[in-house]
Amino acid sequence: MASAVVNPAISIIRRTRANSAACSGLGSGTAVSEIVMESLGPKGLGSAQRLEVVVQGSEGSARLDRVLAAHLTDLSRSRLKALILAGAVSLKAAAIRDPAYHVTSGDTITIDVPEAVPPEPKGEDIALDIVFEDDDIVVLNKPKGLVVHPAAGHETGTLVNALIAHCGASLSGIGGVRRPGIVHRLDKDTTGLMVIAKNDLAHASLTAQFADHGRTGAMRRGYMAFAWGVPGRHRGTVDAPIDRHPHAREKMAVRQGGREAVTHWEILESFNGRDGKPIATLLACELETGRTHQIRVHLAHIGHPLMGDAVYGPHFKTKANQLGTESQAALAALGRQALHAYLLVLEHPRTGELLHWEAPLPEDLLLLQGALKAAL
């Protein structure tokens, strides 16, 4: 497993779907005509559109919102509801503002989809390490120090700002706003692979895959973690609920009544200190859930906090004195938690293809690994 991380890779496994209409974004038997009212980009992505849906009577429900959701899978249900409430959906030239309105077979429904509005965050020219991109998703290798989303204290210089500039008109609008769809996050100082949605269809699919976390689908998320100490067995699972810390609100903690959180771990390599005794471990961790700071909290909970983690492992600072001189210098230079998201596996939201990416350890963690090995 460790050797696989050395070389970044992408593999595509082609799958067939029982219903090819699912890939086209149209329900089976659907009669849909689309008129592009205004084209702003080379493909009209995010432009104003007029869609006409002919009710077939086999959609499973007569409710307007459900009929539209069955036909227009490129638009999320929340987006369709917002369009209905805004008066953008009409029947026989009369606006229908009730999502529960019952339509009948043969009705022709007109949907006026406005141009996606500009996002509130502004695009910024920030270099990104893109490993895959198409009309639906972007996969990138996030560097340390990059905040994912604008927030208090980080209104600019974020990954979202960078993606708005990078993607430009290819963002067709999520919920009517031309913005990237963030379906999962990495901490500011955690490096590694992230996937971002570029449209409603991708956003809905990825959200569902991340919620499932591989229980019934192909989704996998793997991390490399340098942790203090050596667990007493080769592999294990931490199944412990996570919630906000009762006193330090910026932290998370294992707490009874918290949200389910499951982390699987496996030892890849162990390292000795100056006295020849085991002092640290390189673990491969996979998430079955996606809670805030999950790996950091879980490893600290079992007594093996991440090296360099000033939030969840400050009481392990004195252990650095047991490292060799080179290892101490590498850890001090790291200045962050030693965590890297190296593995991402998911189904493409439109085609169903199984995609697999791996990203090698970044330079600072390679230096730490080399220094720890040198102490042997």
Side-chain angles (χ1 to χ4, degrees), residues 210-229:
F210 274 86
D212 183 69
H213 267 97
R215 290 183 175 90
T216 62
M219 165 70 70
R220 289 178 64 196
R221 294 170 64 192
Y223 292 74
M224 291 293 170
F226 290 84
W228 287 111

Side-chain angles (χ1 to χ4, degrees), residues 89-319:
V89 177
S90 58
L91 175 62
K92 298 177 182 178
I96 308 173
R97 297 178 183 270
D98 181 6
Y101 179 89
H102 278 210
V103 295
T104 59
S105 179
D107 281 347
T108 298
I109 305 167
T110 301
I111 308 97
D112 287 309
V113 183
E115 177 188 351
V117 300
E120 289 186 8
K122 303 299 181 183
E124 296 179 36
D125 187 13
I126 300 171
L128 293 174
D129 182 6
I130 304 293
V131 299
F132 177 86
E133 182 174 10
D134 63 9
D135 288 341
D136 297 299
I137 61 174
V138 179
V139 178
L140 58 92
N141 189 9
K142 188 185 88 66
K144 67 178 181 180
L146 182 61
V147 174
V148 171
H149 203 279
H154 296 285
E155 291 82 2
T156 61
T158 71
L159 176 59
V160 166
N161 296 113
L163 286 167
I164 290 171
H166 171 79
C167 297
S170 68
L171 292 174
S172 66
I174 295 174
V177 180
R178 196 188 295 276
R179 61 182 171 86
I182 304 297
V183 293
H184 69 124
R185 301 189 185 192
L186 295 179
D187 296 337
K188 173 186 175 183
D189 289 323
T190 296
T191 56
L193 295 169
M194 285 188 65
V195 60
I196 293 90
K198 297 173 74 173
N199 52 52
D200 271 329
L201 180 145
H203 191 261
S205 172
L206 293 176
T207 297
Q209 291 186 59
F210 274 86
D212 183 69
H213 267 97
R215 290 183 175 90
T216 62
M219 165 70 70
R220 289 178 64 196
R221 294 170 64 192
Y223 292 74
M224 291 293 170
F226 290 84
W228 287 111
V230 180
R233 48 188 174 145
H234 184 66
R235 61 175 60 89
T237 297
V238 184
D239 185 348
I242 291 177
D243 203 347
R244 285 287 172 189
H245 193 283
H247 307 300
R249 300 302 294 171
E250 73 282 1
K251 295 175 59 176
M252 307 300 288
V254 169
R255 297 186 66 187
Q256 192 68 29
R259 300 179 69 188
E260 179 191 19
V262 180
T263 305
H264 306 286
W265 57 265
E266 178 180 359
I267 295 177
L268 296 182
E269 198 172 6
S270 61
F271 311 99
N272 293 340
R274 289 186 300 176
D275 58 4
K277 296 180 181 179
I279 190 172
T281 312
L282 174 58
L283 301 173
C285 301
E286 288 206 21
L287 298 180
E288 194 173 308
T289 54
R291 308 302 173 216
T292 302
H293 298 175
Q294 180 172 315
I295 292 176
R296 299 168 66 186
V297 172
H298 272 174
L299 292 184
H301 178 67
I302 62 173
H304 300 288
L306 290 173
M307 300 183 77
D309 194 335
V311 176
Y312 297 103
H315 49 295
F316 274 72
K317 278 186 177 180
T318 56
K319 276 192 170 288

